[in-house]
Structures are given as C-alpha cells and as structure tokens.
C-alpha cells in the first residue's frame, strides 16, 4: 500500500437510509464505493458508535434521534463497504464522538514513522463528523496534506455541506 490514506467516515446504514438518512447521503454511495475500491493506499473506516443510553447523553439531548447504537443494523457500515472493509482487512475506528482521537493518533504514528504522506476523507456528514475528523487530523499534523472529496460527502442539508466545505478550505484542507 502507498503512503496515502483514505478515511471513509461513518458510511453507516442509519446515516445513509436509516433514522438520519437523506437522499443526498444515498446519492453519494456509488462514488464512495468506487473511490474506496479504487484507492491506491490504505483505507480506514470510522463508525459512529453509541450505547443504549444515547438519549441520556449530551448528544442525545441535542439530537434526540437514536442512531448508530452498537450492535444494531443501523450501526453497521453499508453492505458494499462492510464487504470491502473485510476483504481489505481494513481497520475500523468506533468513535463515541464526532471526531476520533484514536484515528488521529494512529495516523500521527504512521506520519512520524514516515509511512504517511497525505490523508483524504469522504463520507457523512460533511458538517459534523467529516469536518470534525479533518480538523482533528490537521491539528495533530499541521504539515500533512489533508483533503476532502466533496463529491463523496453529504451534509445534514446541502447548505450545511457547503458551509462545512468552506470552513475546511479556510483551515487549509484541500477540497477536491
């Protein structure tokens, strides 16, 4: 594998066509699957992961829609990406928050070992978890080129998607 990493963020059933799904999320599935399948480098995945107590958490109070509860069908990656994850033996980071510190730490270890030259992110939702992870990765490694493929992302709304892309562009994350 090359020294490039593709991070596929939260392409889970609940975000695509489940409790928090949208037509925009459904529309990016073919492009995300193609990008992950054809990517020349390491592919990593994240999964939004909550417990049965989700509604009692701060996030649950602000977003009172149960989603991505560990072990449920909605928590799983969409089938095309689950198969790809398994066939590539790709690492998957279960994250209890919008951004994954464990992912950023793993990428930083690769970077410090000279095994990482660039990171690209795709997935859901642009304005929540994609932007959180992109900024976290940039904070951990300010000199690492970080990019986001806008055609392989969808936000809660098209307007929030566009706003998140502008935020990331302002923070020196390349928007493809």
């Amino acid at each position: 594998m090359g020294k490039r990493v593709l991070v596929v963020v939260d392409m889970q059933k609940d975000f695509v066509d489940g409790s928090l799904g949208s037509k925009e999320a459904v529309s990016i599935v073919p492009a995300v699957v193609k990008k992950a399948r054809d990517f020349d480098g390491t592919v990593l995945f994240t999964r939004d992961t909550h417990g049965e107590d989700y509604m009692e958490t701060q996030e649950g109070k602000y977003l009172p829609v149960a989603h991505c509860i560990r072990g449920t069908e909605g928590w799983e990656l969409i089938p095309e990406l689950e198969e790809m994850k398994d066939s590539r033996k790709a690492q998957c980071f279960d994250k209890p928050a919008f951004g994954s510190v464990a992912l950023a730490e793993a990428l930083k270890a690769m970077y410090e070992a000279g095994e990482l030259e660039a990171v690209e992110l795709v997935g859901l939702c642009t304005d929540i978890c994609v932007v959180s992870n992109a900024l976290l990765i940039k904070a951990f490694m300010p000199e690492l080129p970080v990019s986001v493929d806008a055609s392989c992302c969808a936000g809660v709304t098209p307007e929030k998607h566009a706003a998140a892309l502008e935020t990331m562009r302002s923070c020196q994350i390349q928007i493809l």
Side-chain angles (χ1 to χ4, degrees):
M1 296 286 159
K3 292 186 176 186
R4 297 174 52 233
V5 170
L6 176 69
V7 178
V8 180
V9 178
D10 298 358
M11 288 296 294
Q12 295 160 269
K13 293 178 182 181
D14 272 348
F15 290 132
V16 174
D17 59 8
S19 61
L20 291 172
S22 69
K23 68 181 188 306
E24 291 85 8
V26 170
S27 75
I28 69 165
V29 167
V32 172
V33 170
K34 180 177 182 351
K35 178 161 292 255
R37 183 186 62 237
D38 297 346
F39 191 76
D40 182 26
T42 301
V43 179
L44 302 175
F45 295 86
T46 69
R47 272 189 305 229
D48 194 43
T49 302
H50 301 292
E52 294 293 334
D53 66 340
Y54 173 76
M55 297 303 274
E56 284 80 52
T57 67
Q58 181 172 309
E59 182 180 332
K61 288 178 177 49
Y62 284 96
L63 178 62
V65 177
H67 64 281
C68 300
I69 307 300
R70 182 186 298 276
T72 65
E73 186 177 337
W75 173 71
E76 296 170 6
L77 296 174
I78 59 172
E80 306 94 303
L81 293 175
E82 185 66 35
E83 291 171 16
M84 192 178 307
K85 176 183 73 70
D86 293 343
S87 69
R88 279 185 172 250
K89 295 181 175 56
Q91 190 169 1
C92 186
F93 293 83
D94 292 339
K95 54 185 195 57
F98 304 135
S100 174
V101 171
L103 169 66
E105 289 172 340
L107 291 171
K108 186 172 184 183
M110 291 173 67
Y111 181 68
E112 290 175 345
E115 299 168 358
L116 180 62
E117 294 176 354
V119 173
E120 181 176 345
L121 293 94
V122 299
L124 301 167
C125 292
T126 318
D127 51 311
I128 302 173
C129 294
V130 174
V131 68
S132 295
N133 283 287
L135 292 172
L136 191 57
I137 292 164
K138 197 67 173 165
F140 269 65
M141 296 157 285
E143 296 301 316
L144 178 71
V146 177
S147 62
V148 171
D149 186 339
S151 70
C152 291
C153 294
V156 173
T157 66
E159 297 78 17
K160 288 184 177 188
H161 168 76
L165 294 174
E166 283 307 309
T167 296
M168 289 185 279
R169 189 175 282 117
S170 295
C171 294
Q172 301 175 358
I173 294 164
Q174 184 181 9
I175 306 304
L176 307 174

